[in-house]
C-alpha cells in the first residue's frame, strides 16, 4: 500500500547519526503528527454528525427530509467511530504534552486496533450508504443542498475557520483512514527501541491492523483511485499494472489500465534525452464488449515456457549483482561503478520479469479477437477478473473512442498511473525490506462462514524475486460448511514478503468444466493475504491468525525459522533411531548397504507416486511426516501398512526430512568444499575427472545410498511430461538437502534475529549445491572400479 497525500511522514535521519536519544526524540515527532491528523479526522466526523441530529428530529414530523431507515443507512457507525477516536485523542493529548522518553502510549494504540471491527461494519455498509445518499439527493433538493455544503472545522492556526465538503467526500474519510492505519504504526515502531515497554504492544497493534487491512484493501484501493483521479466526466481509473502480453508467441511487457468503461493496453516508450515518461496505446476494449469466453473453436493457448535452468541462471546473476552493489556501497566506491552494476541488475530483473509468468488470462472483444496476458499467480488473475466482472455490471454505455480521444487518454495515463515503476528491486526504497529467507511452517486449521456444503481445499502462495508461486495445497474436505483440514506445511522462503491463501471449490462434474484461460474446473471461493513481517515473525513461537475473504474466514498458524537456524544439522539424542543418526551407524546396525528408510520410501514412491504432479516439490502434510518419522525411529513393524495408506507427498517429505536431519550431509563436510569448487571448473574433462574422483571418495554407505537415490531420480525425470519434475527440478529440491554442510559458523550472522537477505551468500551457495547434484544427474553413467556399482545395487543385502 502506498502513502497517500496528506499522510504524515516523519523526517528520516542517517542511521549512523541516529543514536538512541535521537530515536526516542523522533517518537515525539511521530506522535505530534498523529495528534494533528487525529484532530483533523475528528473534525471531519463532527461535520458528518452535525446534520444527523436535525435530520433525525425531522424524521418523526409530518414533513421529513429523510426516513429513519435512510438516516441510519447513510450515517451507519459514524457516531461509534467518533467516540472511539475522541477517546483515543483525549488519551494521547495529555501524554504528548507531558512528554518524557519513558512515556507509554502502546496501550492506546492496542485498544484502537482492537476496535477495528467497527470499521469492518462501516466498510461493508459504505457502498450502500453512498448509493442511498445519491438517491436521496435526487429525490429531495433540501437534502441535496445539505449534502453539498457540510462545514468542516479547520485547524486552530488556520485563518479560514471552516471549509465546505460534500457528504460523499466525508463518508470516504473513514475508509481512507483505515487503509493508512498501518503507516503510522510502522513509523512509531521504527523509532521505539525493542527494550521500550511500548514495543510489544505496538507490534501487536500492527499485526491486528495488517491482518484487518489485508481483508479490505482489495475493496478500497480501486474506489479510492476512482475518487481521487478524474479524467472527463465519467471515466475513472480503477487499477493499473505492468503485465506480460503474449503477441504471436513472443512475450511483451505492457502497462494495462482498467477504467470504469474500458480496458486499455499500452506500451511504455523508451525515454530519450531526459524526456518524461510516455505511452503508446496498443489496443483497447470497451467493458460492454469484453468477454473472457472466446469462440468455440479457440485452440488451447501455446505458452512458450522458459526452462527452469535458465530462470535459475538469471536468479544467480541477480543475487551476484545485488551482493556486488552492497559490497561497493560499503567500500564507498564511485557512483559510476554502482551505476554500471545497477544497469546490469535492471537488465537481468527485467528479463526475469518477462520470462517468469506462465498463467494465462485471455480477453476477447465482440468480434472474437483475443488478447492474452501471462500472470505469475492465480490470486492476481482472480483479482483482475473479479474487478472487471464487477465493473461490467455497472457499465451500460459502450465507449468507442476516436483516434484523438484514444491519444489523449493514453497521454493522461502518465498522470493517472498508480504503479509508476516496473517492479524491480532497483526501484525500491533503500530501507525497504528484502524479504524473509528460511522456512515458514503454516498450519491451515479450518474455515467458517460458508452458506452451503461444498468440497473445499486451500492453496498457499508466496513471493520470490518479485513473483508469486503456489507452494502447498491441502486435501479436499468433502461436502461440509466447516472444513477442518488441520494440515501443516513447510514452505521455503526466498526473499518473501507476503503469504497468500486461496480457497477453492473442487468440481468433480467434468461436464461443468470452466474452459476460460485454460483454467481448471475448480472455482475460487475466496482469497486473502498477510504480510510476512520480520519484526512480528522473529520469535520462535507459533502465531495464530485469521484471513477473512468474501464472508469466509480461514484460521492459520504460522512460524518462521530463519535461514541460519535451518542450516544447522542436529544429531539425534535417540541412540536407536534413524533420524539424525550417522548413515554408517544405521547401515551397520541394519546390516544393509542402503538404510531401510530410504529403500522403503523409494519403493512406495515408485509404486504409486511416479506420475504425481510435483512429486518431491509439493509439500506433504507435516503431521503425517512426523508420524512416519516416529514409526521409523521406533522400528514400528506396521510402517509399510502406514505408508500404503498415506498421501505419497508425505512419504516424499519423510525421505527429504531424513536426509536433511543427517548429522553430516550425504556428500560429507570434508568433501563439500571440493565438490563446490569442482563444479566451477570450466574444462569439461578436468571437471568430470575431479567430480567422479570426489564422488568415489565418499564412504561406502554414502556412495551406495547416493547411487541408489540417483537411479530413482532419473526414473522420476523420465516421466517429466506427466509429473512435471525435470532433472533440474529434482536437483533444486535435493541439492541443498544432500550437500548442505552441518557447520556454517563462518557464514552465520552475528545477530541471529536478522533475516538473511537475498543479496547474501546463502542463495549463491544453494545454487552451487543444486549445480553439483544436477551434474551427476546429467551424467549418462558413473563408472566405478570393477563394476562395484552393479554388485552393490543388486546385492541381496540392499
Amino acid at each position: 500500500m502506498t502513502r497517500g497525500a496528506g499522510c504524515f511522514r516523519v523526517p528520516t535521519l542517517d542511521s549512523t547519526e541516529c543514536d538512541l536519544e535521537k530515536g526516542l526524540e523522533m517518537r515525539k515527532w511521530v506522535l505530534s503528527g498523529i495528534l494533528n491528523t487525529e484532530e483533523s479526522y475528528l473534525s471531519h466526523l463532527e461535520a458528518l454528525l452535525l446534520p444527523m441530529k436535525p435530520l433525525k428530529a425531522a424524521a418523526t414530523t409530518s414533513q421529513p427530509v429523510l426516513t429513519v431507515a435512510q438516516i441510519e443507512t447513510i450515517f451507519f457507525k459514524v457516531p461509534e467511530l467518533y467516540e472511539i477516536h475522541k477517546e483515543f485523542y483525549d488519551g494521547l493529548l495529555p501524554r504528548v504534552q507531558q512528554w518524557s522518553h519513558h512515556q507509554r502510549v502502546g496501550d492506546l494504540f492496542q485498544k484502537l486496533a482492537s476496535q477495528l471491527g467497527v470499521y469492518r461494519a462501516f466498510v461493508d455498509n459504505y457502498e450502500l450508504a453512498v448509493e442511498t445518499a445519491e438517491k436521496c439527493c435526487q429525490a429531495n433538493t433540501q437534502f441535496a443542498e445539505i449534502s453539498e455544503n457540510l462545514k468542516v472545522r479547520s485547524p486552530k492556526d488556520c485563518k479560514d475557520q471552516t471549509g465546505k465538503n460534500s457528504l460523499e467526500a466525508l463518508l470516504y474519510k473513514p475508509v481512507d483512514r483505515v487503509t493508512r492505519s498501518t503507516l503510522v504504526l510502522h513509523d512509531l515502531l521504527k523509532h521505539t527501541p525493542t527494550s521500550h515497554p511500548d514495543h510489544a504492544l505496538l507490534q501487536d497493534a500492527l499485526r491486528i491492523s495488517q491482518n484487518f487491512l489485508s481483508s479490505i484493501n482489495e475493496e478500497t484501493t480501486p474506489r479510492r483511485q476512482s475518487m481521487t483521479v478524474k479524467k472527463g466526466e465519467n471515466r475513472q481509473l480503477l487499477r493499473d499494472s505492468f503485465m506480460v502480453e503474449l503477441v504471436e508467441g513472443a512475450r511483451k511487457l505492457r502497462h494495462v489500465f482498467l477504467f470504469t468503461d474500458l480496458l486499455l493496453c499500452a506500451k511504455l516508450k523508451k525515454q530519450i534525452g531526459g524526456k518524461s515518461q510516455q505511452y503508446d496505446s496498443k489496443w483497447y476494449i470497451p467493458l460492454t464488449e469484453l468477454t473472457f469466453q472466446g469462440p468455440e473453436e479457440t485452440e488451447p493457448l501455446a505458452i512458450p515456457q522458459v526452462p527452469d535452468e535458465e530462470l535459475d541462471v538469471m536468479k544467480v546473476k541477480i543475487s551476484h549483482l545485488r551482493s556486488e552493489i552492497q559490497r561497493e556501497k560499503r567500500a564507498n566506491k564511485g557512483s559510476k561503478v554502482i551505476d554500471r552494476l545497477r544497469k546490469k541488475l535492471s537488465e537481468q530483473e527485467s528479463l526475469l520479469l518477462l520470462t517468469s509468468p506462465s498463467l494465462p488470462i485471455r480477453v476477447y472483444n465482440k468480434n472474437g479477437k483475443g488478447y492474452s496476458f501471462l500472470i505469475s499467480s492465480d490470486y492476481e488473475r482472480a483479482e483482475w477478473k473479479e474487478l472487471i466482472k464487477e465493473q461490467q455490471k455497472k457499465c451500460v454505455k459502450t465507449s468507442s473512442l476516436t483516434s484523438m480521444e484514444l491519444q489523449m487518454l493514453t497521454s493522461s495515463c502518465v498522470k493517472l498511473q498508480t504503479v509508476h515503476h516496473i517492479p524491480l528491486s532497483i526501484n525500491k526504497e533503500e530501507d525497504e525490506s528484502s524479504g524473509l529467507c528460511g522456512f515458514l511452517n503454516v498450519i491451515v486449521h479450518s474455515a467458517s462462514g460458508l452458506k452451503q456444503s461444498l468440497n473445499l481445499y486451500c492453496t498457499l502462495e508466496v513471493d520470490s524475486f518479485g513473483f508469486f508461486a503456489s507452494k502447498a495445497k491441502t486435501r479436499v474436505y468433502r461436502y461440509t460448511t466447516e472444513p477442518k483440514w488441520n494440515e501443516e506445511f513447510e514452505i521455503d522462503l526466498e526473499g518473501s514478503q507476503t503469504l497468500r491463501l486461496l480457497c477453492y471449490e473442487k468440481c468433480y462434474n467434468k461436464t461443468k468444466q470452466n474452459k476460460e484461460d485454460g483454467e481448471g474446473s475448480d472455482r475460487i471461493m475466496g482469497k486473502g493475504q498477510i504480510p510476512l513481517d520480520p519484526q512480528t515473525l522473529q520469535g520462535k513461537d507459533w502465531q495464530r491468525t485469521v484471513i477473512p475473504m468474501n464472508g469466509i474466514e480461514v484460521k492459520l498458524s504460522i512460524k518462521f525459522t530463519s535461514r541460519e537456524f535451518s542450516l544447522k544439522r542436529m544429531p539425534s539424542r535417540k541412540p536407536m533411531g534413524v533420524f539424525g543418526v550417522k548413515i554408517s551407524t544405521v547401515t551397520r546396525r541394519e546390516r544393509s548397504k542402503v538404510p531401510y528408510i530410504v529403500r522403503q520410501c523409494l519403493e512406495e514412491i515408485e509404486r504409486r507416486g511416479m506420475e504425481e504432479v510435483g512429486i518431491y516439490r509439493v509439500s506433504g502434510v507435516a503431521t503425517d511426516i512426523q508420524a512416519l518419522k516416529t514409526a521409523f525411529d521406533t522400528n514400528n513393524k506396521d510402517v509399510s501398512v502406514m505408508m500404503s495408506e498415506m498421501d505419497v507427498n508425505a512419504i516424499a517429505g519423510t525421505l527429504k526430512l531424513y536426509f536433511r536431519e543427517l548429522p553430516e550431509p550425504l556428500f560429507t563436510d570434508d568433501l563439500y568444499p571440493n565438490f563446490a569448487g569442482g563444479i566451477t571448473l570450466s574444462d569439461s574433462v578436468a571437471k568430470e575427472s575431479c567430480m567422479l574422483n570426489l564422488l568415489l571418495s565418499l564412504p561406502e554407505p554414502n556412495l551406495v545410498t547416493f547411487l541408489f537415490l540417483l537411479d530413482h531420480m532419473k526414473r522420476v525425470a523420465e516421466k517429466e511430461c506427466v509429473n512435471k519434475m525435470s532433472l533440474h527440478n529434482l536437483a533444486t529440491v535435493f541439492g541443498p538437502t544432500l550437500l548442505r554442510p552441518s557447520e556454517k559458523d563462518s557464514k552465520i550472522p552475528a545477530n541471529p534475529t536478522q533475516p538473511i537477505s537475498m543479496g547474501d551468500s546463502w542463495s549463491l551457495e544453494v545454487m552451487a549445491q543444486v549445480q553439483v547434484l544436477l551434474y551427476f544427474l546429467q551424467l549418462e553413467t558413473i563408472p566405478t572400479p570393477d563394476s562395484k556399482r552393479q554388485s552393490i545395487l543388486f546385492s541381496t543385502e540392499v
Side-chain angles (χ1 to χ4, degrees):
M1 187 171 60
T2 56
R3 287 178 191 268
C7 181
F8 178 78
R9 187 158 195 175
V10 299
T12 55
L13 296 179
D14 189 276
S15 58
T16 54
E17 298 171 12
C18 189
D19 56 16
L20 187 63
E21 191 68 24
K22 284 187 179 177
L24 286 165
E25 191 61 35
M26 287 297 289
R27 270 169 57 82
K28 188 178 179 183
W29 268 92
V30 176
L31 288 166
S32 299
I34 292 169
L35 268 176
N36 290 337
T37 56
E38 277 293 313
E39 190 178 347
S40 171
Y41 181 45
L42 282 170
S43 66
H44 286 120
L45 292 176
E46 279 173 4
L48 262 182
L49 290 172
L50 205 59
M52 195 177 90
K53 287 178 183 175
L55 285 169
K56 268 192 173 178
T60 54
T61 65
S62 58
Q63 289 183 311
V65 179
L66 301 180
T67 66
V68 172
Q70 287 169 333
I71 294 165
E72 286 179 351
T73 302
I74 295 169
F75 298 96
F76 185 68
K77 294 294 177 186
V78 176
E80 289 89 340
L81 289 174
Y82 179 78
E83 289 305 319
I84 287 168
H85 283 271
K86 185 75 170 70
E87 185 186 353
F88 174 72
Y89 179 82
D90 290 345
L92 187 60
L93 180 63
R95 297 195 199 186
V96 175
Q97 286 174 339
Q98 298 154 23
W99 184 253
S100 79
H101 292 334
H102 304 292
Q103 183 66 274
R104 298 184 184 190
V105 293
D107 57 311
L108 297 175
F109 284 92
Q110 193 181 40
K111 186 176 181 182
L112 190 63
S114 71
Q115 295 169 310
L116 282 170
V118 179
Y119 274 100
R120 160 51 71 194
F122 180 88
V123 169
D124 286 346
N125 181 72
Y126 172 79
E127 283 194 4
L128 183 60
V130 173
E131 197 178 301
T132 306
E134 281 178 4
K135 285 178 182 174
C136 292
C137 284
Q138 288 165 6
N140 189 306
T141 52
Q142 193 180 349
F143 181 67
E145 178 67 24
I146 293 168
S147 66
E148 281 303 312
N149 296 286
L150 294 174
K151 292 179 180 178
V152 178
R153 178 173 48 83
S154 297
K156 297 182 185 72
D157 55 354
C158 184
K159 288 178 183 176
D160 182 11
Q161 290 297 302
T162 57
K164 287 182 182 179
N165 276 260
S166 70
L167 177 70
E168 186 182 349
L170 288 176
L171 280 174
Y172 186 70
K173 293 293 179 183
V175 179
D176 193 49
R177 184 76 182 171
V178 74
T179 59
R180 298 164 194 239
S181 60
T182 60
L183 295 173
V184 288
L185 283 166
H186 268 299
D187 280 340
L188 193 52
L189 202 54
K190 193 174 174 182
H191 300 290
T192 303
T194 50
S195 57
H196 197 285
D198 269 354
H199 197 270
L201 295 171
L202 292 172
Q203 268 193 331
D204 190 47
L206 180 61
R207 179 184 58 78
I208 295 167
S209 297
Q210 285 174 327
N211 286 354
F212 175 76
L213 269 183
S214 69
S215 71
I216 68 161
N217 254 353
E218 296 161 28
E219 305 158 30
T220 60
T221 304
R223 192 184 299 127
R224 180 170 66 216
Q225 198 57 36
S226 70
M227 289 191 66
T228 55
V229 179
K230 300 277 184 183
K231 176 67 183 121
E233 192 179 332
N234 298 313
R235 182 175 297 124
Q236 295 137 25
L237 178 68
L238 297 181
R239 180 172 180 156
D240 65 301
S241 175
F242 283 97
M243 288 165 80
V244 175
E245 186 184 11
L246 204 54
V247 184
E248 296 175 356
R251 292 166 179 258
K252 305 284 185 183
L253 189 64
R254 303 287 192 237
H255 201 146
V256 182
F257 296 85
L258 175 62
F259 291 94
T260 44
D261 60 338
L262 59 85
L263 184 73
L264 172 70
C265 177
K267 174 190 173 185
L268 190 63
K269 285 184 183 177
K270 285 189 176 176
Q271 288 171 263
I272 305 166
K275 280 188 179 179
S276 61
Q277 206 176 41
Q278 286 182 307
Y279 286 99
D280 270 338
S281 65
K282 301 305 291 182
W283 51 264
Y284 79 93
I285 306 177
L287 292 192
T288 52
E289 296 177 2
L290 184 149
T291 174
F292 294 103
Q293 188 70 54
E296 289 289 322
E297 65 276 7
T298 300
E299 298 263 329
L301 189 63
I303 302 169
Q305 297 288 356
V306 178
D308 289 336
E309 293 91 320
E310 288 184 30
L311 296 177
D312 267 7
V313 167
M314 290 178 216
K315 289 178 183 178
V316 170
K317 287 179 181 173
I318 288 167
S319 296
H320 267 299
L321 288 164
R322 286 177 181 171
S323 293
E324 279 189 63
I325 289 169
Q326 291 306 317
R327 198 161 48 242
E328 294 296 338
K329 281 182 179 176
R330 285 194 292 270
N332 289 322
K333 290 287 177 72
S335 60
K336 282 187 179 178
V337 177
I338 294 174
D339 286 345
R340 192 166 65 248
L341 290 170
R342 277 175 167 272
K343 188 182 177 186
K344 285 183 182 177
L345 178 62
S346 178
E347 286 168 4
Q348 286 300 320
E349 288 189 325
S350 298
L351 192 58
L352 189 64
L353 176 79
L354 205 59
T355 51
S356 285
S358 59
L359 288 176
I361 178 169
R362 303 172 84 173
V363 292
Y364 300 85
N365 63 19
K366 66 177 180 182
N367 300 322
K369 179 168 174 51
Y371 301 92
S372 304
F373 293 104
L374 298 176
I375 289 179
S376 68
S377 84
D378 215 2
Y379 190 101
E380 193 181 342
R381 178 164 68 177
E383 277 186 322
W384 273 95
K385 292 185 77 170
E386 283 169 17
L387 190 55
I388 289 171
K389 285 179 178 178
E390 192 61 37
Q391 186 57 28
Q392 282 180 319
K393 292 175 190 173
K394 305 170 189 173
C395 196
V396 288
K397 185 183 171 188
T398 297
S399 300
S400 296
L401 304 179
T402 65
S403 57
M404 181 59 75
E405 285 172 333
L406 180 59
Q407 192 176 338
M408 286 174 66
L409 180 62
T410 309
S411 300
S412 73
C413 287
V414 176
K415 291 179 183 175
L416 296 179
Q417 63 184 5
T418 61
V419 180
H420 297 279
H421 298 291
I422 298 170
L424 309 178
S425 64
I426 197 165
N427 294 326
K428 287 184 178 178
E429 298 282 338
E430 281 292 325
D431 60 350
E432 204 169 324
S433 168
S434 55
L436 292 171
C437 298
F439 291 97
L440 187 73
N441 286 73
V442 182
I443 301 175
V444 183
H445 292 293
S446 59
S448 58
L450 288 154
K451 300 290 188 289
Q452 55 179 316
S453 291
L454 298 169
N455 302 307
L456 290 176
Y457 67 92
C458 293
T459 63
L460 299 167
E461 294 182 354
V462 294
D463 57 311
S464 168
F465 284 89
F467 301 96
F468 280 86
S470 187
K471 290 286 187 176
K473 177 181 171 182
T474 69
R475 67 184 185 280
V476 179
Y477 210 94
R478 300 294 293 267
Y479 207 65
T480 179
T481 56
E482 292 189 352
K484 293 180 174 63
W485 296 283
N486 290 317
E487 292 183 52
E488 183 184 339
F489 303 96
E490 185 177 78
I491 297 170
D492 198 357
L493 302 183
E494 295 179 295
S496 306
Q497 295 178 310
T498 307
L499 172 70
R500 288 175 168 176
L501 184 136
L502 295 106
C503 191
Y504 293 84
E505 178 196 1
K506 181 74 179 172
C507 180
Y508 292 103
N509 185 350
K510 300 294 179 188
T511 60
K512 288 187 179 179
Q513 288 212 350
N514 173 15
K515 298 295 182 188
E516 288 181 18
D517 306 338
E519 291 179 46
S521 56
D522 302 341
R523 182 165 63 107
I524 295 177
M525 297 298 297
K527 62 189 190 313
Q529 59 185 14
I530 52 172
L532 297 175
D533 181 37
Q535 285 188 306
T536 53
L537 284 173
Q538 64 187 14
K540 290 183 181 178
D541 296 330
W542 286 96
Q543 296 185 20
R544 289 183 75 97
T545 187
V546 174
I547 298 186
M549 46 172 93
N550 296 359
I552 306 169
E553 286 193 339
V554 179
K555 293 183 174 65
L556 299 180
S557 290
I558 57 175
K559 182 175 73 170
F560 172 67
T561 309
S562 59
R563 179 68 59 175
E564 67 273 19
F565 288 121
S566 68
L567 288 170
K568 292 184 178 178
R569 292 178 181 268
M570 304 300 290
S572 173
R573 293 175 184 171
K574 298 174 187 173
M576 293 307 290
V578 293
F579 281 80
V581 177
K582 282 186 178 179
I583 199 164
S584 56
T585 306
V586 172
T587 50
R588 192 163 55 247
R589 189 198 303 149
E590 294 176 353
R591 296 181 182 173
S592 63
K593 299 284 187 185
V594 174
Y596 174 71
I597 182 175
V598 176
R599 286 179 280 136
Q600 280 289 98
C601 289
L602 295 190
E603 187 180 307
E604 191 63 26
I605 289 164
E606 296 215 356
R607 186 172 74 82
R608 59 190 179 93
M610 300 295 274
E611 295 188 355
E612 181 77 16
V613 175
I615 186 70
Y616 290 117
R617 192 180 60 212
V618 173
S619 180
V621 178
T623 45
D624 289 351
I625 293 170
Q626 287 303 315
L628 278 176
K629 178 183 176 180
T630 303
F632 278 114
D633 266 343
T634 55
N635 199 19
N636 191 323
K637 297 290 185 286
D638 296 327
V639 71
S640 57
V641 177
M642 285 175 67
M643 289 174 79
S644 66
E645 294 171 351
M646 276 186 183
D647 176 52
V648 74
N649 289 314
I651 294 158
T654 304
L655 182 70
K656 289 189 292 181
L657 184 67
Y658 168 73
F659 284 117
R660 201 163 77 216
E661 290 197 355
L662 284 174
E664 183 179 53
L666 203 62
F667 279 55
T668 74
D669 288 327
D670 286 344
L671 293 176
Y672 170 71
N674 299 333
F675 278 112
I679 198 66
T680 61
L681 295 174
S682 51
D683 185 287
S684 58
V685 177
K687 182 190 283 189
E688 184 170 339
S689 173
C690 173
M691 296 298 276
L692 286 175
N693 281 326
L694 283 169
L695 186 67
L696 298 175
S697 303
L698 289 173
E700 188 178 51
N702 299 52
L703 173 63
V704 179
T705 301
F706 174 64
L707 295 176
F708 195 73
L709 179 63
L710 194 72
D711 275 6
H712 165 75
M713 285 193 274
K714 287 183 176 182
R715 285 193 290 277
V716 171
E718 282 170 7
K719 294 187 178 285
E720 181 192 348
C721 58
V722 183
N723 61 34
K724 311 299 181 195
M725 291 301 288
S726 63
L727 289 175
H728 181 271
N729 287 342
L730 290 160
T732 303
V733 169
F734 276 101
T737 303
L738 301 180
L739 280 108
R740 188 188 68 222
S742 48
E743 284 303 323
K744 305 275 287 181
D745 291 341
S746 61
K747 300 284 173 79
I748 297 176
N751 182 357
T753 62
Q754 289 298 312
I756 302 181
S757 72
M758 285 302 292
D760 286 314
S761 60
W762 76 264
S763 58
L764 303 176
E765 195 154 354
V766 167
M767 301 289 188
Q769 291 157 4
V770 170
Q771 292 304 313
V772 170
L773 180 54
L774 185 61
Y775 181 80
F776 289 118
L777 280 167
Q778 289 173 336
L779 280 182
E780 285 188 28
T781 57
I782 296 180
T784 51
D786 305 322
S787 297
K788 179 181 175 185
R789 181 167 185 243
Q790 293 300 313
S791 63
I792 286 168
L793 292 181
F794 294 98
S795 162
T796 54
E797 289 185 315
V798 171

